[in-house]
Amino acid sequence: MADTPGVDLARWTHSTGAWRLTSAYVSDTRTLAQPRQRDTVLLKLDRQGDDALASLVFSQARSQRQGPFLGAFAQYTPDDAWLLYGEASAQRRGAATAARWLAGAGYTSAAGRVWSAEYLFNGDIGEATLQADPAALRGRHYLWASVQSNPQELERYWRLEWTRNRDDHSQGWALYGERRLQPRLSGFAMLILGEGGAGSELGGVYRSGATLGLKLFLL
């Protein structure tokens, strides 16, 4: 019952044991970010166990000059502290095939602090991609890592993130902190730093900056 508003679709789902098959016809995604999807056929197969989850996705947009989209996702929790996951996708666009894959891991300490790391290969680059989405990634190889305090702690929260573009050797840092000042009022601060040449992605395209603000909770 929690569908995304603005997506017009007809869907059928069948579940048996650990398996679930979903098929859908999406007529329009008018309120979502570009690219807008119309007349899309979707098939999704999921298998969920006690400590593992895997999914396969196939979709074809009839009204667009693109090949079928193929996607896969998997995650595994060997124990209460570790989470291992990965995903991959591929789609033919004209004479080329755009492919992406990601692998990551997360570790949660006994105190609730969360450490995460990911590697991303982005095969979907080029002028056509940037024209359709100016915020699209400009490189092929990325590293990302983060550490954050216990997300369940109510009085304070902080997060530090690091991203590196291995193609142009630029990197970026993001630090966020939040502290409760009153029962319904919190203050927060965010600092973003980019390192690299003027034409690099993280050193030039995305500028450094600082933000200070307040959050007011009405409910």
Side-chain angles (χ1 to χ4, degrees), residues 35-206:
R36 186 173 178 178
Q37 298 292 325
R38 296 179 179 176
D39 299 327
T40 300
V41 177
L42 169 71
L43 291 174
K44 186 170 184 284
L45 180 65
D46 301 298
R47 189 184 191 283
Q48 184 169 4
D50 294 334
D51 53 11
L53 169 68
S55 299
L56 294 174
V57 179
F58 168 86
S59 69
Q60 174 66 66
R62 299 181 181 178
S63 60
Q64 297 183 7
R65 296 180 178 179
Q66 297 181 352
F69 171 87
L70 298 175
F73 171 80
Q75 72 176 39
Y76 173 60
T77 52
D79 53 40
D80 292 338
W82 284 96
L83 170 64
L84 309 177
Y85 56 93
E87 62 181 55
S89 66
Q91 184 174 31
R92 177 167 290 278
R93 298 178 181 177
T97 299
R100 286 187 178 186
W101 64 268
L102 177 148
Y107 173 79
T108 303
S109 67
R113 186 170 297 176
V114 182
W115 304 77
S116 304
E118 293 181 355
Y119 171 81
L120 169 66
F121 171 78
N122 172 42
D124 187 11
I125 60 175
E127 291 299 327
T129 300
L130 291 175
Q131 290 177 1
D133 181 9
L137 298 176
R138 298 167 181 260
R140 289 186 180 272
H141 304 278
Y142 291 87
L143 295 173
W144 174 84
S146 76
V147 56
Q148 63 177 332
S149 64
N150 188 343
Q152 304 300 322
E153 188 175 351
L154 299 178
E155 296 302 319
R156 64 184 63 86
Y157 170 77
W158 59 266
R159 180 177 69 251
L160 175 63
E161 298 183 8
W162 169 78
T163 304
R164 181 173 178 82
N165 182 331
R166 297 189 61 194
D167 296 303
D168 62 15
H169 306 292
S170 63
Q171 61 183 3
W173 299 85
L175 176 63
Y176 176 86
E178 182 176 333
R179 184 177 181 84
R180 178 169 293 189
L181 305 175
Q182 298 290 337
R184 295 187 177 182
L185 182 67
S186 294
F188 67 90
M190 183 169 62
L191 177 64
I192 299 176
L193 298 175
E195 300 178 7
S200 64
E201 180 175 17
L202 301 176
V205 177
Y206 299 99

